[in-house]
Amino acid sequence: MAFQLDPRLAADTVSVTQRGAIDIRMMRDARYHWLVLVPQIDNAVEWFDLPDVAARALFTTAQESAQRLQALTRADKMNIAAFGNMVAQLHVHVIARHKDDAAWPAPVWGVGDAVDFDAAGLKDRLIALRGIL
Amino acid sequence: MAFQLDPRLAADTVSVTQRGAIDIRMMRDARYHWLVLVPQIDNAVEWFDLPDVAARALFTTAQESAQRLQALTRADKMNIAAFGNMVAQLHVHVIARHKDDAAWPAPVWGVGDAVDFDAAGLKDRLIALRGIL
């Protein structure tokens, strides 16, 4: 059976592009530039449980995505995190943070409600991200 | 001049052991098993700004630490994160999470106040961590 994206990740994010076996997605939250990297490996939960090649590929993709997203957004700081407390399926957050954003300097989770894009805004964001990733 | 640990990291954490140029520290918060990895490289802020060898060493050390800490604590989930919104000096959090811990399922930041160890508790914790790291 093909890899199945977790339903909550499917609802909260949209796919930007694919890098090898990693689905690079973005959070449906216009307050941030927020990527979510999902290695398409069945039953992956902890990063260190991945085969070495896949673990390193996820690391490299997180690093490159963070660097490019910082350049695009002129972010003050990049945040990279793997939690999985709510959604067990392995996924890595790469978030561009600005000193005037909705949560600064706290982590973004649990601060206010996500602001979804309108159709034009989503299209623009995807064009911008696909241009760098 | 020798590497200088950020004063806030120095106040909030204590060194467990050294792995190459990475200082493996633990948070002074008895509510969690919470490591903080600090690569001793001057002016390091973003993970992707490190030289490749140092960036990979930090990744490998984070992975190994997470794996060993999970085995020690039988954690339900390991959390790995690099933020740096408050303390710019590059550091990576490796936190063992349990479904009955003080913040679950939220990230640990901003939930209640840290509970410092007493002298005996700190000593015991360090012995346990040095046994696995």
Side-chain angles (χ1 to χ4, degrees):
Chain A
M1 200 172 77
F3 173 81
Q4 294 285 322
L5 183 65
D6 175 272
R8 180 157 172 180
L9 289 178
D12 292 348
T13 66
V14 55
S15 187
V16 177
T17 188
Q18 186 83 17
R19 178 78 55 94
I22 299 169
D23 184 12
I24 303 183
R25 307 182 66 87
M26 54 164 275
M27 194 67 80
R28 287 183 177 278
D29 189 342
R31 298 175 300 166
Y32 309 102
H33 278 77
W34 180 345
L35 302 177
V36 179
L37 279 46
V38 182
Q40 295 169 314
I41 298 173
D42 289 334
N43 305 315
V45 172
E46 297 286 357
W47 201 329
F48 53 78
D49 287 336
L50 293 183
D52 277 357
V53 170
R56 285 197 301 271
L58 183 57
F59 172 66
T60 301
T61 302
Q63 295 277 93
E64 289 180 0
S65 300
Q67 189 163 27
R68 293 173 186 187
L69 192 60
Q70 185 180 51
L72 177 71
T73 64
R74 301 170 185 270
D76 294 305
K77 187 71 190 70
M78 297 305 298
N79 290 176
I80 298 176
F83 292 132
N85 307 336
M86 297 195 194
V87 171
Q89 185 173 78
L90 179 59
H91 59 287
V92 175
H93 301 274
V94 174
I95 312 165
R97 301 300 309 277
H98 293 87
K99 291 179 180 176
D100 62 354
D101 73 32
W104 184 271
V108 297
W109 294 270
V111 177
D113 295 315
V115 176
D116 203 356
F117 296 90
D118 61 21
L122 180 61
K123 189 175 169 186
D124 285 352
R125 180 66 69 91
L126 285 169
I127 288 170
L129 291 174
R130 287 172 180 153
I132 60 161
L133 295 173
Chain B
M1 199 172 75
F3 173 81
Q4 294 285 321
L5 183 66
D6 175 272
R8 180 157 174 181
L9 288 179
D12 292 348
T13 65
V14 56
S15 188
V16 176
T17 188
Q18 186 83 17
R19 176 79 57 94
I22 299 169
D23 184 12
I24 302 182
R25 307 182 66 85
M26 54 164 274
M27 194 67 80
R28 287 182 178 279
D29 190 341
R31 298 175 300 166
Y32 309 102
H33 278 77
W34 180 344
L35 302 177
V36 178
L37 280 44
V38 183
Q40 295 169 313
I41 297 173
D42 289 335
N43 305 314
V45 173
E46 297 285 358
W47 201 331
F48 54 76
D49 286 338
L50 293 183
D52 276 357
V53 170
R56 284 197 302 271
L58 182 58
F59 172 65
T60 301
T61 302
Q63 296 276 95
E64 289 180 359
S65 300
Q67 190 163 23
R68 292 172 186 189
L69 192 60
Q70 186 180 49
L72 177 71
T73 64
R74 301 170 185 268
D76 293 307
K77 188 70 190 69
M78 297 305 300
N79 289 176
I80 298 175
F83 292 133
N85 306 336
M86 298 195 192
V87 171
Q89 184 173 79
L90 179 59
H91 59 287
V92 175
H93 302 273
V94 174
I95 311 165
R97 301 300 308 280
H98 293 86
K99 290 179 180 176
D100 62 353
D101 73 31
W104 184 270
V108 296
W109 295 269
V111 177
D113 295 316
V115 176
D116 204 353
F117 295 89
D118 60 21
L122 181 61
K123 189 177 169 188
D124 284 350
R125 181 65 69 93
L126 285 169
I127 287 171
L129 291 174
R130 286 172 182 153
I132 61 159
L133 296 172

